Amino acid sequence: MLTPHGQPADKIDKIMLLATWTKTLQYESFFPEQSSTSFISAGMGKPTYPVDLNTVAYFEAYWKKVGDMAAVGMQNLDKVQEGAAVDYGMPMGDSDARTIMARAMSSWYQSDIRPENVLFTAGGAGAIRVIFDTLNARYKDTPGYRVVTPFPHYTLYADGTMHRLHPVDVMKEPGYRLKAEALEKSIQSALELAQKDNGYPKAVLICNPSNPLGTIINEEELSRIAEVLRRYPEMHIIMDEAYAEMCFEDMPSLLTVAPDLKERTIIMRSATKGLSAAGERMAILMSFDKKLSSELLAKNISNIGHAPRSSQLAYASTMDNFGLSERQRRISFYKEKVDYVSERLKAMNATMPDPEHRTAATFYVLTDLSDLFGLELPQEATRALGKGGVVTNDEELTYYLLFKDRVMIAPLSYYGLDAKKGYMRITCSGNESELKDMMDRLENRLIEARLIRQKALIEKIDARLPELERINPALYRKVFEQIEHVSQKEKSCSQLKDDNKMLADTLSEMRVAILKASPEGQAKAATAIQSFFRGYRARKGGERLQNQLDEEWIQLIDKLFVKPCSTKTEFLQYTEAEKLNFAPWLERLKELGLSQGSVRPD
C-alpha cells in the first residue's frame, strides 16, 4: 500500500490511510477535469446526529468563566487572579468533573462508582492505548502475552508489539454473537499455546456493543460469560462500551450481572460516537482496583499529561443530564438509517451468510460483496495499491469502489477477518439521499459483476453441451431448458445471484456426469468407492461388515451361476478391487445403501 504522496504505508493504520485517500480524492475532484460525482464516505465511524446541546452549553460556560476572568485580569496585569489563565489540572481529571461523572455512571450502571474510579483520557483510542501500555508494563516479562477478544475486533486492539490478540471466532456462532462456550474454548486454547511459547492470556477484551458487528450480549448470555470469567481469576476484564448510547435494545452491564467481578473490570466509555463529539476526543476509563488505577494513571500521564479540562467538565455534565428521551431520539435517528441499508442489502441479495445476524446497536451494517471479486481494478487505483490486475480480496475491493464508484466502505480484514471473504462494513449515518445514492451505486456494480459472472457460466455450459447431449440426453434437455429460462428472465440484482448459483451447480453437475462417462472417470470412481469401503469397514468394525459383504457376494454369484463351473469359481475368488469393476455387484451395493456418501446399510 502507498500513501497519496507515493510513500510506503505499511506503518499507517489502514482505516486512517483509507480516510486519507478519500480526502485526497475529494480534494482532487474539485478540479474541473474531474468527475462531478460526489464522494460518499461510509467507511469510518462518522456521527451525524447534532452534538448534544448540553455539551455545547458546558463548553460555553467554561470558556465564558475563563474569558470573564481574563478580561478582568487584563485591566491590571499586576494582580491577575487565579483562573484568568488555564493552569494544568489533576492528572486523573479535575475533582468536580470526576465527581459529576461518577454520579452519572453510578446512575447508568446502578452500581457504586466513585470519583477515584474515573480517569479522563484523550478519546477512546487514547483510552485503549492507556490500557495496553499499562498491561505491557505489568507483563513486561511475558512478551507476546495474549488478550482474548472476539474476532472481528476494533482495529486499534491489534496495535502494538508486546501483546497479541487471541481470537474468539464469533463468526461461527449464531447471529455472530459472543457465546460463553466460545469464550471458554478460546481461553483454553490460549492456555494450551502458552505452554509452548509462554504467551499466557492476561485479559479478556469485549467490545459491547460490538464494533464492527453491531451485536449486543443479552443478559442471559452475559451471566454465562461471567461464570466463565470467574474460572480464570488471574485475567483482567476489559469492557469497551464506546457505543453504549447507541443501543436499539437493552444492553446489560457486567457490573449489574456480576458485581463480584467489579474489581477485575476496566470499562471504557467515549463521547466520540454516541454524543457526536469525535473531534473533541472525550473518553473515560473506570477501574476499581487501586493498584491498577494507579498504573493506568501513570500511563495516561506519560501519554498526554491529562485530558483537556474544558472537555472533562463538558463530558461529565452532559452524561449527568443525558436523559432517556434524548437517548431515544439518537437511537431513532440512526436505526432508521440502519434499517434502510439493511433492507436494501436484503433486496440486493448481499446480506451476510448468517440470516440471524442483525444490527442491534451502532450505525454499522455488514454486507457480503464477494460477488465483486474478479472485476478489473481501475488504473487509478494503482496509486494506492501499487499494482493492477483484478479484485481478489476485500482491501482491493475497497479501493476499487473508492476509485471507481467514489464510495468508501471498510473491509472486515481490517478487523481481523479473512480478506478472501469479501465482507464489508457500511457506516449508515448519511442523509436519506446520500444513503440511497450509495446503495444505488453498490447495486449497479453488483448487477454488472453478476452479469459478467452469468455470461462466463453460460459460455462454459455451452461449451460442454454437445458432449453432454451424447452421453446423457436427459440431463442435456434439463440444462438446455434452464439456460433458456435464465436467458428470458428480467435481470434484477437479487435474481442474478440466485440464477448464478443455479448455473454454477448445473455446471458442476455436468462436469461430474461427463467425468463419470469417461474411462478416466470410471477408474477414479472405482478407486474412490474402494477407498470409501476401506474407510467404512474401519469405522464400523470392519470384520463384521466384511463378513456381511462376503455373504452378499456369494449369494449374488449363486444367483448368476446356478450350477458349478470354472467361471463361477473364478468370480468367487475375485479381489475387492475386481468386484468393484463388476456392474451387478455395484448395483447390489446401491440396493444395500452402501454407495459412496452413504454411512450405513438400509
Side-chain angles (χ1 to χ4, degrees):
M1 295 299 299
L2 301 172
T3 70
H5 299 293
Q7 298 303 307
D10 299 343
K11 296 183 179 180
I12 300 177
D13 176 74
K14 288 180 176 291
I15 286 290
M16 294 307 298
L17 177 64
L18 179 59
T20 301
W21 268 109
T22 304
K23 292 289 186 183
T24 299
L25 296 177
Q26 284 177 322
Y27 172 76
E28 293 175 354
S29 71
F30 292 143
F31 295 98
E33 64 270 17
Q34 296 292 326
S35 168
S36 60
T37 304
S38 63
F39 280 87
I40 298 175
S41 180
M44 293 186 70
K46 179 184 175 183
T48 53
Y49 186 84
V51 67
D52 194 293
L53 293 180
N54 283 319
T55 305
V56 176
Y58 289 115
F59 269 118
E60 289 177 340
Y62 176 90
W63 286 110
K64 184 179 187 307
K65 181 179 179 181
V66 173
D68 289 346
M69 297 185 73
V72 172
M74 291 296 292
Q75 302 301 316
N76 187 348
L77 294 178
D78 291 331
K79 295 183 179 181
V80 176
Q81 295 181 355
E82 184 179 354
V86 180
D87 196 2
Y88 291 110
M90 293 290 290
M92 287 188 72
D94 289 347
S95 178
D96 53 350
R98 286 188 289 116
T99 298
I100 295 170
M101 184 61 85
R103 182 173 66 224
M105 292 295 99
S106 294
S107 175
W108 184 286
Y109 290 103
Q110 294 298 295
S111 179
D112 181 25
I113 296 174
R114 301 180 179 182
E116 57 265 31
N117 302 136
V118 177
L119 171 63
F120 283 91
T121 69
I128 295 297
R129 170 66 68 187
V130 167
I131 291 172
F132 280 117
D133 284 351
T134 300
L135 295 181
N136 291 346
R138 178 173 277 207
Y139 302 113
K140 62 181 182 297
D141 295 328
T142 312
Y145 69 88
R146 288 178 167 85
V147 175
V148 177
T149 194
F151 274 45
H153 58 80
Y154 176 49
T155 56
L156 292 184
Y157 294 170
D159 190 16
T161 57
M162 276 288 291
H163 73 281
R164 52 186 147 181
L165 299 181
H166 189 79
V168 184
D169 189 359
V170 296
M171 299 304 287
K172 293 181 179 178
E173 302 300 321
Y176 310 140
R177 292 183 291 270
L178 176 63
K179 297 290 184 181
E181 295 83 358
L183 175 61
E184 182 147 40
K185 182 179 178 181
S186 177
I187 294 173
Q188 284 295 320
S189 68
L191 289 169
E192 290 172 7
L193 289 171
Q195 296 292 328
K196 302 175 183 177
D197 59 20
N198 203 42
Y200 284 92
K202 298 299 183 182
V204 170
L205 170 53
I206 299 174
C207 188
N208 189 41
S210 168
N211 172 20
L213 293 172
T215 54
I216 293 175
I217 305 170
N218 63 39
E219 185 170 352
E220 183 179 359
E221 196 61 45
L222 191 60
S223 296
R224 294 194 188 101
I225 288 170
E227 284 297 324
V228 172
L229 295 172
R230 290 186 182 102
R231 291 195 280 274
Y232 304 94
E234 71 285 357
M235 297 180 69
H236 301 284
I237 303 166
I238 305 166
M239 302 298 297
D240 179 349
E241 298 184 356
Y243 293 85
E245 296 86 3
M246 299 174 66
C247 298
F248 307 150
E249 55 191 50
D250 290 340
M251 187 190 86
S253 164
L254 192 65
L255 297 186
T256 305
V257 170
D260 57 303
L261 298 177
K262 185 175 182 179
E263 285 196 9
R264 292 170 52 194
T265 302
I266 304 170
I267 299 175
M268 192 275 280
R269 292 289 295 267
S270 168
T272 299
K273 307 302 190 300
L275 298 186
S276 304
E280 291 301 320
R281 315 309 299 139
M282 298 188 291
I284 59 168
L285 289 174
M286 290 176 282
S287 58
F288 309 94
D289 175 89
K290 290 183 178 180
K291 187 174 187 301
L292 182 60
S293 294
S294 177
E295 293 171 12
L296 291 168
L297 173 60
K299 291 302 176 184
N300 198 53
I301 293 172
S302 296
N303 290 347
I304 62 168
H306 63 71
R309 300 180 71 184
S310 59
S311 66
Q312 295 174 32
L313 195 58
Y315 184 21
S317 299
T318 300
M319 292 308 300
D320 198 33
N321 291 277
F322 193 67
L324 181 61
S325 60
E326 178 59 30
R327 185 178 176 185
Q328 286 297 333
R329 281 194 291 270
R330 292 167 190 269
I331 290 170
S332 298
F333 177 80
Y334 287 119
K335 189 175 187 303
E336 182 179 352
K337 299 174 186 298
V338 164
D339 288 346
Y340 171 76
V341 172
S342 298
E343 287 302 314
R344 284 293 303 269
L345 289 173
K346 185 177 180 180
M348 291 156 54
N349 215 336
T351 57
M352 294 293 284
D354 186 347
E356 290 188 30
H357 174 66
R358 59 186 176 82
T359 298
T362 76
F363 43 30
Y364 303 127
V365 173
L366 304 187
T367 177
D368 179 357
L369 295 182
S370 57
D371 282 353
L372 298 181
F373 284 3
L375 291 176
E376 191 76 25
L377 285 164
Q379 180 63 35
E380 299 88 347
T382 59
R383 293 173 57 192
L385 296 170
K387 62 179 181 179
V390 299
V391 175
T392 61
N393 59 53
D394 64 3
E395 183 172 62
E396 292 170 357
L397 176 55
T398 297
Y399 282 90
Y400 175 96
L401 292 171
L402 180 62
F403 280 87
K404 192 77 171 178
D405 293 310
R406 299 192 165 203
V407 171
M408 188 261 266
I409 57 178
L412 284 194
S413 64
Y414 289 2
Y415 301 85
L417 292 192
D418 183 356
K420 298 295 184 181
K421 293 290 187 182
Y423 300 157
M424 312 289 282
R425 190 195 75 175
I426 300 174
T427 301
C428 310
S429 60
N431 59 42
E432 182 179 350
S433 62
E434 182 179 82
L435 290 178
K436 182 180 183 304
D437 188 9
M438 174 179 66
M439 298 310 295
D440 287 347
R441 296 186 203 182
L442 292 177
E443 182 170 10
N444 289 336
R445 192 59 64 191
L446 273 173
I447 289 173
E448 177 193 0
R450 288 171 179 173
L451 283 171
I452 292 171
R453 170 69 172 157
Q454 186 167 111
K455 181 181 178 183
L457 285 168
I458 291 175
E459 287 176 352
K460 290 178 181 179
I461 290 172
D462 284 344
R464 308 300 294 269
L465 278 177
E467 189 176 5
L468 183 66
E469 183 179 20
R470 179 175 55 81
I471 64 170
N472 193 331
L475 181 57
Y476 167 81
R477 287 191 295 273
K478 172 188 169 184
V479 172
F480 187 82
E481 290 173 1
Q482 287 176 334
I483 298 297
E484 287 289 303
H485 183 63
V486 167
S487 300
Q488 295 170 5
K489 278 186 177 180
E490 292 187 10
K491 307 296 184 181
S492 74
C493 191
S494 179
Q495 190 62 55
L496 279 169
K497 185 177 181 70
D498 291 338
D499 287 347
N500 286 353
K501 183 180 184 306
M502 181 271 293
L503 290 171
D505 292 343
T506 296
L507 181 59
S508 177
E509 184 181 6
M510 288 175 62
R511 285 171 172 165
V512 170
I514 292 169
L515 179 62
K516 283 183 176 180
S518 68
E520 297 84 1
Q522 291 173 351
K524 287 181 180 179
T527 301
I529 293 173
Q530 185 176 3
S531 175
F532 167 76
F533 280 118
R534 281 199 298 266
Y536 187 92
R537 286 196 296 270
R539 292 193 302 272
K540 295 295 183 179
E543 185 176 347
R544 179 176 59 82
L545 179 59
Q546 185 61 55
N547 290 338
Q548 178 188 348
L549 292 174
D550 289 344
E551 290 176 6
E552 290 290 342
W553 175 255
I554 292 170
Q555 291 175 17
L556 175 65
I557 300 305
D558 283 341
K559 288 181 181 179
L560 295 174
F561 303 93
V562 179
K563 296 181 179 181
C565 64
S566 59
T567 304
K568 180 177 182 180
T569 301
E570 183 180 348
F571 269 98
L572 289 173
Q573 294 175 349
Y574 264 22
T575 65
E576 295 300 317
E578 289 171 330
K579 292 177 185 178
L580 291 172
N581 288 319
F582 187 49
W585 177 237
L586 295 179
E587 290 298 322
R588 180 57 182 151
L589 291 177
K590 289 181 181 179
E591 292 172 4
L592 293 171
L594 293 174
S595 58
Q596 188 175 10
S598 174
V599 294
R600 61 178 178 82
D602 289 336

